[in-house]
Structure formats: C-alpha cells, structure tokens
Amino acid sequence: MRPFRSRLGRFTAAFDPAEATLLADLVDQVRTLLAQRGGGAEDDPLAGLTGMAVGPSTPPGDPAVARLLPAFHRDDEGLAAGLRMLREPEVIAAKDDAAVTLLDTLPRGGGTVRLTEQTARSWLVALNDVRLVFGVRLNITDDATPPAAAAADPRGPEYAMYLTYRWLSTIQESLVQAMLGDA
C-alpha cells in the first residue's frame, strides 16, 4: 500500500490487488454481521402503520456486533431498549452506507483510490468497524502489543489476524494524517 496523501482536498492511496481483495472481503464480512443483526427484528405493528424501521430491543449476543452497536443508555435498561429499537436500524444503515462507499471507491483489482472529504470520512467509519471486530475477536487491549493468543504462535492464524489488524490501523492512520494535513 502506498499511504494516503492529500492534494487539493482529495486523498489518494494505492493498493495492490491482494490488499484490495482483502480489504473488500473484510468490509463485506462486517456488512454481513450487521445485516444479520438488522434482519433480526420482530414484526412490529407500529412499523407497519408508520413505515418506521424498528430493530430488536435487546443487545446483540455476538460481542463483536455489540461493540459495533453499543447501548444507547448505560443507566436505564428500559430507555436503552427503546432507543435501540428505534435508532439501531439507522446506525446499521449508516455503517452499511460507509462500507458501500469504501467498496465503491476501492479498485477491486488494485490501483489508486481517490477520495473526497466525504468519501474519506466513510472510509474511516468502515475501517474502524472492521478494526473493532478484529479487536473483539482477538481480545486486543493495546494496539502496540499482540494479544496473548497471537504472541503464543507467530505462525498461527491469530498472529496473522493481528498483523491484518495492524495493517488496517496503518491504513486508517494514513488517511487520518492526510485529512489532518489538509485541514
């Protein structure tokens, strides 16, 4: 990957074919996790009458999805459930829109990515969502230190996942730095 650079309000980076394929696959996997959650809401008569999309009132059972969709209120479970039911579909839709933007602006065969400020913000959301899922799956508590499972076997799948997490962090940091440099 050639890091992001800023020029005239645009942000560019280059990805080789394998990097583009991996990034697209990871973003698609997060979209699938969120779509499964979005499809889990029970039928609500009010939604039928008003056309409002409603989601489940209970928190996600999958810790990674729960990290992507945290509680809307920490002190009042009833309020949290009501807010989740009303607002979670919008949050999922916004995350999916960001993921689609990333996928639409990422050349699948590799090449140069060209982003506006708006599409760059979508990239940051989508990259962060993928990193959050990795962080939960790997039990990452410190970005600079490999989790115990990864450190135990530098040739194992957890270590490869940790390296992928670090690569995603590098992409995200590169984009943030380019955006800050443009500010």
Side-chain angles (χ1 to χ4, degrees), residues 15-166:
F15 293 86
D16 70 29
E19 291 171 329
T21 299
L22 176 60
L23 183 54
D25 182 53
L26 294 172
V27 170
D28 277 334
Q29 288 180 44
V30 171
R31 287 185 73 208
T32 299
L33 280 174
L34 290 170
Q36 290 169 347
R37 173 66 180 178
E42 63 274 354
D43 290 332
D44 181 12
L46 180 60
L49 290 172
T50 63
M52 290 179 8
V54 294
S57 61
T58 56
D62 179 338
V65 178
R67 183 70 175 100
L68 294 173
L69 303 169
F72 285 85
H73 197 282
R74 292 183 187 184
D75 298 328
D76 185 332
E77 288 183 26
L79 179 58
L83 288 171
R84 179 176 297 281
M85 200 167 128
L86 293 173
R87 303 302 299 216
E88 188 174 281
E90 293 174 30
V91 173
I92 291 172
K95 289 179 176 296
D96 191 62
D97 287 347
V100 168
T101 297
L102 184 148
L103 294 170
D104 286 348
T105 54
L106 176 68
R108 292 298 174 110
T112 301
V113 172
R114 291 176 178 82
L115 306 175
T116 64
E117 184 169 342
Q118 183 176 350
T119 56
R121 290 181 188 279
S122 293
W123 267 65
L124 291 176
V125 169
L127 287 168
N128 194 57
D129 286 347
V130 175
R131 288 182 67 252
L132 287 173
V133 170
F134 267 89
V136 170
R137 297 283 192 248
L138 291 171
N139 199 22
I140 293 174
T141 57
D142 175 10
D143 275 357
T145 306
D153 182 8
R155 297 178 196 262
E158 287 87 1
Y159 195 74
M161 288 173 61
Y162 175 70
L163 291 177
T164 303
Y165 171 86
R166 296 291 300 150

